[in-house]
mmCIF file of all heavy atoms in Angstrom:
data_model
loop_
_atom_site.group_PDB
_atom_site.id
_atom_site.type_symbol
_atom_site.label_atom_id
_atom_site.label_comp_id
_atom_site.label_asym_id
_atom_site.label_seq_id
_atom_site.Cartn_x
_atom_site.Cartn_y
_atom_site.Cartn_z
ATOM 1 N N PRO A 21 94.186 110.351 109.278
ATOM 2 C CA PRO A 21 94.734 109.167 108.605
ATOM 3 C C PRO A 21 96.126 109.457 108.047
ATOM 4 O O PRO A 21 96.459 110.600 107.732
ATOM 5 C CB PRO A 21 93.731 108.910 107.469
ATOM 6 C CG PRO A 21 93.012 110.188 107.278
ATOM 7 C CD PRO A 21 93.028 110.890 108.595
ATOM 8 N N LEU A 22 96.922 108.420 107.953
ATOM 9 C CA LEU A 22 98.263 108.561 107.400
ATOM 10 C C LEU A 22 98.180 108.868 105.911
ATOM 11 O O LEU A 22 97.252 108.414 105.225
ATOM 12 C CB LEU A 22 99.054 107.269 107.602
ATOM 13 C CG LEU A 22 99.393 106.923 109.039
ATOM 14 C CD1 LEU A 22 100.043 105.543 109.102
ATOM 15 C CD2 LEU A 22 100.321 107.960 109.627
ATOM 16 N N PRO A 23 99.129 109.622 105.391
ATOM 17 C CA PRO A 23 99.124 109.888 103.953
ATOM 18 C C PRO A 23 99.422 108.608 103.172
ATOM 19 O O PRO A 23 99.978 107.655 103.708
ATOM 20 C CB PRO A 23 100.236 110.917 103.774
ATOM 21 C CG PRO A 23 101.102 110.775 104.966
ATOM 22 C CD PRO A 23 100.225 110.276 106.078
ATOM 23 N N ALA A 24 99.059 108.625 101.918
ATOM 24 C CA ALA A 24 99.309 107.462 101.061
ATOM 25 C C ALA A 24 100.817 107.250 100.918
ATOM 26 O O ALA A 24 101.587 108.218 100.909
ATOM 27 C CB ALA A 24 98.681 107.681 99.693
ATOM 28 N N PRO A 25 101.255 106.005 100.820
ATOM 29 C CA PRO A 25 102.684 105.750 100.644
ATOM 30 C C PRO A 25 103.194 106.376 99.346
ATOM 31 O O PRO A 25 102.479 106.442 98.350
ATOM 32 C CB PRO A 25 102.789 104.228 100.579
ATOM 33 C CG PRO A 25 101.467 103.685 100.930
ATOM 34 C CD PRO A 25 100.477 104.793 100.875
ATOM 35 N N VAL A 26 104.427 106.830 99.388
ATOM 36 C CA VAL A 26 105.036 107.449 98.220
ATOM 37 C C VAL A 26 105.678 106.362 97.376
ATOM 38 O O VAL A 26 106.415 105.519 97.895
ATOM 39 C CB VAL A 26 106.108 108.473 98.659
ATOM 40 C CG1 VAL A 26 106.820 109.065 97.466
ATOM 41 C CG2 VAL A 26 105.475 109.552 99.511
ATOM 42 N N SER A 27 105.388 106.366 96.096
ATOM 43 C CA SER A 27 106.048 105.423 95.193
ATOM 44 C C SER A 27 106.763 106.226 94.109
ATOM 45 O O SER A 27 106.190 107.125 93.506
ATOM 46 C CB SER A 27 105.053 104.443 94.581
ATOM 47 O OG SER A 27 104.138 105.126 93.771
ATOM 48 N N ILE A 28 108.004 105.917 93.917
ATOM 49 C CA ILE A 28 108.860 106.629 92.978
ATOM 50 C C ILE A 28 109.232 105.663 91.858
ATOM 51 O O ILE A 28 109.641 104.532 92.124
ATOM 52 C CB ILE A 28 110.142 107.131 93.691
ATOM 53 C CG1 ILE A 28 109.794 107.985 94.894
ATOM 54 C CG2 ILE A 28 111.040 107.881 92.736
ATOM 55 C CD1 ILE A 28 109.069 109.254 94.591
ATOM 56 N N PRO A 29 109.115 106.090 90.602
ATOM 57 C CA PRO A 29 109.512 105.190 89.511
ATOM 58 C C PRO A 29 111.020 104.924 89.520
ATOM 59 O O PRO A 29 111.807 105.793 89.880
ATOM 60 C CB PRO A 29 109.101 105.948 88.248
ATOM 61 C CG PRO A 29 108.883 107.354 88.657
ATOM 62 C CD PRO A 29 108.593 107.354 90.122
ATOM 63 N N VAL A 30 111.362 103.707 89.149
ATOM 64 C CA VAL A 30 112.773 103.305 89.060
ATOM 65 C C VAL A 30 113.125 103.179 87.591
ATOM 66 O O VAL A 30 112.423 102.516 86.821
ATOM 67 C CB VAL A 30 113.017 101.970 89.799
ATOM 68 C CG1 VAL A 30 114.464 101.524 89.643
ATOM 69 C CG2 VAL A 30 112.655 102.105 91.265
ATOM 70 N N TYR A 31 114.199 103.839 87.192
ATOM 71 C CA TYR A 31 114.664 103.830 85.809
ATOM 72 C C TYR A 31 115.905 102.954 85.705
ATOM 73 O O TYR A 31 116.528 102.622 86.701
ATOM 74 C CB TYR A 31 115.004 105.250 85.353
ATOM 75 C CG TYR A 31 113.882 106.241 85.536
ATOM 76 C CD1 TYR A 31 113.836 107.076 86.650
ATOM 77 C CD2 TYR A 31 112.865 106.346 84.599
ATOM 78 C CE1 TYR A 31 112.805 107.984 86.819
ATOM 79 C CE2 TYR A 31 111.828 107.259 84.761
ATOM 80 C CZ TYR A 31 111.812 108.073 85.874
ATOM 81 O OH TYR A 31 110.788 108.966 86.039
ATOM 82 N N ARG A 32 116.258 102.601 84.473
ATOM 83 C CA ARG A 32 117.466 101.810 84.228
ATOM 84 C C ARG A 32 118.318 102.504 83.170
ATOM 85 O O ARG A 32 117.812 103.023 82.188
ATOM 86 C CB ARG A 32 117.116 100.413 83.724
ATOM 87 C CG ARG A 32 116.577 99.515 84.794
ATOM 88 C CD ARG A 32 116.590 98.062 84.298
ATOM 89 N NE ARG A 32 116.274 97.168 85.379
ATOM 90 C CZ ARG A 32 117.160 96.697 86.234
ATOM 91 N NH1 ARG A 32 118.418 97.021 86.137
ATOM 92 N NH2 ARG A 32 116.798 95.876 87.199
ATOM 93 N N HIS A 33 119.600 102.481 83.406
ATOM 94 C CA HIS A 33 120.592 102.940 82.422
ATOM 95 C C HIS A 33 121.661 101.860 82.400
ATOM 96 O O HIS A 33 122.541 101.821 83.254
ATOM 97 C CB HIS A 33 121.176 104.293 82.834
ATOM 98 C CG HIS A 33 122.177 104.819 81.861
ATOM 99 N ND1 HIS A 33 121.817 105.402 80.674
ATOM 100 C CD2 HIS A 33 123.535 104.840 81.899
ATOM 101 C CE1 HIS A 33 122.887 105.773 80.020
ATOM 102 N NE2 HIS A 33 123.949 105.438 80.746
ATOM 103 N N GLY A 34 121.540 100.956 81.461
ATOM 104 C CA GLY A 34 122.419 99.792 81.453
ATOM 105 C C GLY A 34 122.101 98.920 82.661
ATOM 106 O O GLY A 34 120.965 98.504 82.864
ATOM 107 N N ALA A 35 123.096 98.694 83.492
ATOM 108 C CA ALA A 35 122.903 97.874 84.694
ATOM 109 C C ALA A 35 122.597 98.724 85.926
ATOM 110 O O ALA A 35 122.411 98.196 87.011
ATOM 111 C CB ALA A 35 124.145 97.032 84.942
ATOM 112 N N ILE A 36 122.539 100.034 85.753
ATOM 113 C CA ILE A 36 122.335 100.934 86.889
ATOM 114 C C ILE A 36 120.844 101.210 87.083
ATOM 115 O O ILE A 36 120.165 101.649 86.163
ATOM 116 C CB ILE A 36 123.072 102.274 86.673
ATOM 117 C CG1 ILE A 36 124.566 102.040 86.503
ATOM 118 C CG2 ILE A 36 122.814 103.224 87.834
ATOM 119 C CD1 ILE A 36 125.327 103.269 86.082
ATOM 120 N N ARG A 37 120.359 100.932 88.278
ATOM 121 C CA ARG A 37 118.985 101.282 88.650
ATOM 122 C C ARG A 37 119.037 102.619 89.376
ATOM 123 O O ARG A 37 119.808 102.781 90.318
ATOM 124 C CB ARG A 37 118.388 100.216 89.564
ATOM 125 C CG ARG A 37 118.230 98.870 88.884
ATOM 126 C CD ARG A 37 117.711 97.816 89.830
ATOM 127 N NE ARG A 37 116.380 98.176 90.273
ATOM 128 C CZ ARG A 37 115.983 98.242 91.549
ATOM 129 N NH1 ARG A 37 116.823 97.963 92.509
ATOM 130 N NH2 ARG A 37 114.766 98.580 91.866
ATOM 131 N N TYR A 38 118.250 103.592 88.905
ATOM 132 C CA TYR A 38 118.283 104.902 89.531
ATOM 133 C C TYR A 38 116.882 105.503 89.587
ATOM 134 O O TYR A 38 115.957 105.048 88.921
ATOM 135 C CB TYR A 38 119.243 105.840 88.780
ATOM 136 C CG TYR A 38 118.756 106.266 87.417
ATOM 137 C CD1 TYR A 38 118.079 107.472 87.254
ATOM 138 C CD2 TYR A 38 118.972 105.491 86.291
ATOM 139 C CE1 TYR A 38 117.623 107.872 86.009
ATOM 140 C CE2 TYR A 38 118.531 105.879 85.051
ATOM 141 C CZ TYR A 38 117.861 107.076 84.911
ATOM 142 O OH TYR A 38 117.410 107.473 83.678
ATOM 143 N N CYS A 39 116.752 106.519 90.406
ATOM 144 C CA CYS A 39 115.526 107.314 90.504
ATOM 145 C C CYS A 39 115.911 108.759 90.269
ATOM 146 O O CYS A 39 117.089 109.115 90.288
ATOM 147 C CB CYS A 39 114.895 107.167 91.894
ATOM 148 S SG CYS A 39 114.355 105.507 92.286
ATOM 149 N N ARG A 40 114.912 109.586 90.060
ATOM 150 C CA ARG A 40 115.164 111.013 89.899
ATOM 151 C C ARG A 40 114.649 111.741 91.128
ATOM 152 O O ARG A 40 113.548 111.479 91.600
ATOM 153 C CB ARG A 40 114.469 111.528 88.648
ATOM 154 C CG ARG A 40 114.989 110.813 87.397
ATOM 155 C CD ARG A 40 114.474 111.441 86.190
ATOM 156 N NE ARG A 40 115.221 112.694 85.995
ATOM 157 C CZ ARG A 40 115.285 113.312 84.840
ATOM 158 N NH1 ARG A 40 114.641 112.853 83.805
ATOM 159 N NH2 ARG A 40 115.966 114.430 84.729
ATOM 160 N N ALA A 41 115.447 112.659 91.637
ATOM 161 C CA ALA A 41 115.063 113.413 92.825
ATOM 162 C C ALA A 41 113.805 114.239 92.570
ATOM 163 O O ALA A 41 113.011 114.453 93.480
ATOM 164 C CB ALA A 41 116.212 114.306 93.283
ATOM 165 N N ARG A 42 113.588 114.664 91.345
ATOM 166 C CA ARG A 42 112.398 115.476 91.045
ATOM 167 C C ARG A 42 111.103 114.673 91.133
ATOM 168 O O ARG A 42 110.023 115.244 91.176
ATOM 169 C CB ARG A 42 112.525 116.133 89.680
ATOM 170 C CG ARG A 42 112.374 115.162 88.529
ATOM 171 C CD ARG A 42 112.392 115.866 87.218
ATOM 172 N NE ARG A 42 112.131 114.930 86.143
ATOM 173 C CZ ARG A 42 112.175 115.248 84.891
ATOM 174 N NH1 ARG A 42 112.459 116.476 84.540
ATOM 175 N NH2 ARG A 42 111.929 114.345 83.979
ATOM 176 N N ASP A 43 111.203 113.346 91.165
ATOM 177 C CA ASP A 43 110.007 112.507 91.305
ATOM 178 C C ASP A 43 109.516 112.440 92.752
ATOM 179 O O ASP A 43 108.412 111.972 93.007
ATOM 180 C CB ASP A 43 110.269 111.087 90.787
ATOM 181 C CG ASP A 43 110.434 111.038 89.275
ATOM 182 O OD1 ASP A 43 109.926 111.958 88.600
ATOM 183 O OD2 ASP A 43 111.062 110.088 88.785
ATOM 184 N N LEU A 44 110.338 112.886 93.694
ATOM 185 C CA LEU A 44 109.900 112.938 95.091
ATOM 186 C C LEU A 44 108.868 114.052 95.266
ATOM 187 O O LEU A 44 108.899 115.043 94.529
ATOM 188 C CB LEU A 44 111.092 113.238 96.006
ATOM 189 C CG LEU A 44 112.045 112.105 96.289
ATOM 190 C CD1 LEU A 44 113.301 112.636 96.967
ATOM 191 C CD2 LEU A 44 111.393 111.061 97.153
ATOM 192 N N PRO A 45 107.965 113.909 96.229
ATOM 193 C CA PRO A 45 107.049 115.025 96.512
ATOM 194 C C PRO A 45 107.850 116.270 96.880
ATOM 195 O O PRO A 45 108.926 116.185 97.477
ATOM 196 C CB PRO A 45 106.226 114.534 97.708
ATOM 197 C CG PRO A 45 106.360 113.055 97.681
ATOM 198 C CD PRO A 45 107.700 112.754 97.063
ATOM 199 N N TYR A 46 107.327 117.425 96.532
ATOM 200 C CA TYR A 46 108.044 118.686 96.718
ATOM 201 C C TYR A 46 108.531 118.869 98.159
ATOM 202 O O TYR A 46 109.662 119.281 98.390
ATOM 203 C CB TYR A 46 107.154 119.857 96.302
ATOM 204 C CG TYR A 46 107.837 121.185 96.406
ATOM 205 C CD1 TYR A 46 108.771 121.567 95.456
ATOM 206 C CD2 TYR A 46 107.575 122.048 97.468
ATOM 207 C CE1 TYR A 46 109.428 122.777 95.547
ATOM 208 C CE2 TYR A 46 108.221 123.259 97.569
ATOM 209 C CZ TYR A 46 109.146 123.623 96.605
ATOM 210 O OH TYR A 46 109.793 124.817 96.710
ATOM 211 N N ALA A 47 107.679 118.552 99.119
ATOM 212 C CA ALA A 47 108.037 118.748 100.531
ATOM 213 C C ALA A 47 109.182 117.838 100.971
ATOM 214 O O ALA A 47 109.912 118.162 101.908
ATOM 215 C CB ALA A 47 106.821 118.511 101.418
ATOM 216 N N ALA A 48 109.376 116.717 100.319
ATOM 217 C CA ALA A 48 110.403 115.761 100.725
ATOM 218 C C ALA A 48 111.749 116.007 100.040
ATOM 219 O O ALA A 48 112.761 115.469 100.468
ATOM 220 C CB ALA A 48 109.945 114.342 100.422
ATOM 221 N N ARG A 49 111.771 116.837 99.006
ATOM 222 C CA ARG A 49 113.016 117.025 98.247
ATOM 223 C C ARG A 49 114.129 117.635 99.073
ATOM 224 O O ARG A 49 115.270 117.176 99.027
ATOM 225 C CB ARG A 49 112.752 117.894 97.019
ATOM 226 C CG ARG A 49 111.946 117.190 95.976
ATOM 227 C CD ARG A 49 111.697 118.066 94.785
ATOM 228 N NE ARG A 49 110.598 117.511 94.008
ATOM 229 C CZ ARG A 49 109.961 118.153 93.071
ATOM 230 N NH1 ARG A 49 110.304 119.402 92.778
ATOM 231 N NH2 ARG A 49 108.973 117.578 92.428
ATOM 232 N N SER A 50 113.840 118.674 99.827
ATOM 233 C CA SER A 50 114.907 119.319 100.603
ATOM 234 C C SER A 50 115.381 118.412 101.734
ATOM 235 O O SER A 50 116.579 118.369 102.043
ATOM 236 C CB SER A 50 114.444 120.669 101.145
ATOM 237 O OG SER A 50 113.361 120.498 102.027
ATOM 238 N N VAL A 51 114.467 117.672 102.341
ATOM 239 C CA VAL A 51 114.849 116.735 103.403
ATOM 240 C C VAL A 51 115.720 115.630 102.818
ATOM 241 O O VAL A 51 116.731 115.237 103.397
ATOM 242 C CB VAL A 51 113.599 116.145 104.093
ATOM 243 C CG1 VAL A 51 113.986 115.120 105.142
ATOM 244 C CG2 VAL A 51 112.759 117.245 104.701
ATOM 245 N N PHE A 52 115.346 115.131 101.642
ATOM 246 C CA PHE A 52 116.151 114.101 100.993
ATOM 247 C C PHE A 52 117.525 114.649 100.624
ATOM 248 O O PHE A 52 118.535 113.959 100.785
ATOM 249 C CB PHE A 52 115.455 113.551 99.744
ATOM 250 C CG PHE A 52 116.296 112.549 99.012
ATOM 251 C CD1 PHE A 52 116.450 111.272 99.510
ATOM 252 C CD2 PHE A 52 116.959 112.894 97.840
ATOM 253 C CE1 PHE A 52 117.252 110.340 98.853
ATOM 254 C CE2 PHE A 52 117.757 111.981 97.182
ATOM 255 C CZ PHE A 52 117.900 110.699 97.689
ATOM 256 N N ALA A 53 117.586 115.881 100.143
ATOM 257 C CA ALA A 53 118.870 116.478 99.766
ATOM 258 C C ALA A 53 119.810 116.535 100.973
ATOM 259 O O ALA A 53 121.003 116.243 100.853
ATOM 260 C CB ALA A 53 118.659 117.863 99.182
ATOM 261 N N GLN A 54 119.286 116.885 102.133
ATOM 262 C CA GLN A 54 120.107 116.901 103.345
ATOM 263 C C GLN A 54 120.502 115.483 103.748
ATOM 264 O O GLN A 54 121.643 115.233 104.144
ATOM 265 C CB GLN A 54 119.355 117.567 104.490
ATOM 266 C CG GLN A 54 119.168 119.040 104.293
ATOM 267 C CD GLN A 54 118.302 119.651 105.381
ATOM 268 O OE1 GLN A 54 117.698 118.944 106.190
ATOM 269 N NE2 GLN A 54 118.221 120.965 105.394
ATOM 270 N N TRP A 55 119.552 114.556 103.663
ATOM 271 C CA TRP A 55 119.803 113.167 104.047
ATOM 272 C C TRP A 55 120.861 112.540 103.139
ATOM 273 O O TRP A 55 121.723 111.787 103.587
ATOM 274 C CB TRP A 55 118.501 112.378 103.973
ATOM 275 C CG TRP A 55 118.616 110.950 104.370
ATOM 276 C CD1 TRP A 55 118.505 110.439 105.622
ATOM 277 C CD2 TRP A 55 118.858 109.835 103.498
ATOM 278 N NE1 TRP A 55 118.656 109.082 105.594
ATOM 279 C CE2 TRP A 55 118.873 108.679 104.305
ATOM 280 C CE3 TRP A 55 119.058 109.702 102.141
ATOM 281 C CZ2 TRP A 55 119.089 107.416 103.781
ATOM 282 C CZ3 TRP A 55 119.276 108.446 101.610
ATOM 283 C CH2 TRP A 55 119.288 107.316 102.426
ATOM 284 N N ALA A 56 120.801 112.848 101.846
ATOM 285 C CA ALA A 56 121.678 112.207 100.868
ATOM 286 C C ALA A 56 122.983 112.965 100.639
ATOM 287 O O ALA A 56 123.784 112.563 99.797
ATOM 288 C CB ALA A 56 120.935 112.057 99.538
ATOM 289 N N PHE A 57 123.214 114.043 101.383
ATOM 290 C CA PHE A 57 124.430 114.832 101.191
ATOM 291 C C PHE A 57 125.665 113.952 101.379
ATOM 292 O O PHE A 57 125.805 113.244 102.368
ATOM 293 C CB PHE A 57 124.470 115.993 102.189
ATOM 294 C CG PHE A 57 125.675 116.869 102.013
ATOM 295 C CD1 PHE A 57 125.735 117.779 100.979
ATOM 296 C CD2 PHE A 57 126.757 116.766 102.873
ATOM 297 C CE1 PHE A 57 126.841 118.586 100.808
ATOM 298 C CE2 PHE A 57 127.871 117.565 102.710
ATOM 299 C CZ PHE A 57 127.917 118.475 101.676
ATOM 300 N N GLY A 58 126.554 113.997 100.396
ATOM 301 C CA GLY A 58 127.791 113.227 100.466
ATOM 302 C C GLY A 58 127.676 111.800 99.960
ATOM 303 O O GLY A 58 128.683 111.100 99.882
ATOM 304 N N ARG A 59 126.475 111.352 99.631
ATOM 305 C CA ARG A 59 126.316 109.989 99.117
ATOM 306 C C ARG A 59 126.696 109.940 97.633
ATOM 307 O O ARG A 59 126.568 110.912 96.912
ATOM 308 C CB ARG A 59 124.879 109.503 99.281
ATOM 309 C CG ARG A 59 124.521 109.232 100.721
ATOM 310 C CD ARG A 59 123.125 108.632 100.769
ATOM 311 N NE ARG A 59 122.782 108.268 102.115
ATOM 312 C CZ ARG A 59 122.907 107.047 102.622
ATOM 313 N NH1 ARG A 59 123.353 106.068 101.871
ATOM 314 N NH2 ARG A 59 122.589 106.801 103.859
ATOM 315 N N GLU A 60 127.124 108.777 97.218
ATOM 316 C CA GLU A 60 127.480 108.558 95.824
ATOM 317 C C GLU A 60 126.234 108.645 94.947
ATOM 318 O O GLU A 60 125.157 108.197 95.332
ATOM 319 C CB GLU A 60 128.102 107.162 95.697
ATOM 320 C CG GLU A 60 128.439 106.760 94.299
ATOM 321 C CD GLU A 60 128.895 105.315 94.214
ATOM 322 O OE1 GLU A 60 129.127 104.688 95.258
ATOM 323 O OE2 GLU A 60 128.993 104.818 93.090
ATOM 324 N N ARG A 61 126.397 109.244 93.772
ATOM 325 C CA ARG A 61 125.296 109.337 92.806
ATOM 326 C C ARG A 61 125.722 108.662 91.511
ATOM 327 O O ARG A 61 126.896 108.678 91.150
ATOM 328 C CB ARG A 61 124.951 110.794 92.530
ATOM 329 C CG ARG A 61 124.356 111.453 93.742
ATOM 330 C CD ARG A 61 123.902 112.836 93.418
ATOM 331 N NE ARG A 61 123.158 113.339 94.555
ATOM 332 C CZ ARG A 61 122.034 114.001 94.462
ATOM 333 N NH1 ARG A 61 121.519 114.259 93.284
ATOM 334 N NH2 ARG A 61 121.408 114.428 95.530
ATOM 335 N N PRO A 62 124.755 108.083 90.799
ATOM 336 C CA PRO A 62 125.116 107.452 89.527
ATOM 337 C C PRO A 62 125.559 108.497 88.507
ATOM 338 O O PRO A 62 125.055 109.618 88.490
ATOM 339 C CB PRO A 62 123.824 106.758 89.086
ATOM 340 C CG PRO A 62 122.747 107.282 89.935
ATOM 341 C CD PRO A 62 123.355 107.919 91.124
ATOM 342 N N ASP A 63 126.516 108.130 87.676
ATOM 343 C CA ASP A 63 127.049 109.048 86.664
ATOM 344 C C ASP A 63 126.313 108.812 85.350
ATOM 345 O O ASP A 63 126.721 108.004 84.517
ATOM 346 C CB ASP A 63 128.552 108.819 86.496
ATOM 347 C CG ASP A 63 129.181 109.843 85.572
ATOM 348 O OD1 ASP A 63 128.590 110.928 85.387
ATOM 349 O OD2 ASP A 63 130.268 109.553 85.038
ATOM 350 N N ILE A 64 125.208 109.527 85.186
ATOM 351 C CA ILE A 64 124.401 109.441 83.965
ATOM 352 C C ILE A 64 124.361 110.850 83.383
ATOM 353 O O ILE A 64 123.775 111.760 83.978
ATOM 354 C CB ILE A 64 122.990 108.910 84.255
ATOM 355 C CG1 ILE A 64 123.097 107.538 84.924
ATOM 356 C CG2 ILE A 64 122.167 108.841 82.987
ATOM 357 C CD1 ILE A 64 121.801 106.997 85.442
ATOM 358 N N ALA A 65 125.003 111.039 82.239
ATOM 359 C CA ALA A 65 125.215 112.374 81.674
ATOM 360 C C ALA A 65 123.911 113.133 81.432
ATOM 361 O O ALA A 65 123.812 114.314 81.729
ATOM 362 C CB ALA A 65 126.010 112.268 80.381
#
């Protein structure tokens, strides 16, 4: 059977909707890091 769908919480900082990379399953973090390389990230101190 297929694994359960992954759901990641969405946070807000003012008008910016963001997620945290650490909320991804461990196995998906490195793949996401490669996929998202060079993409803009929100500036939240």
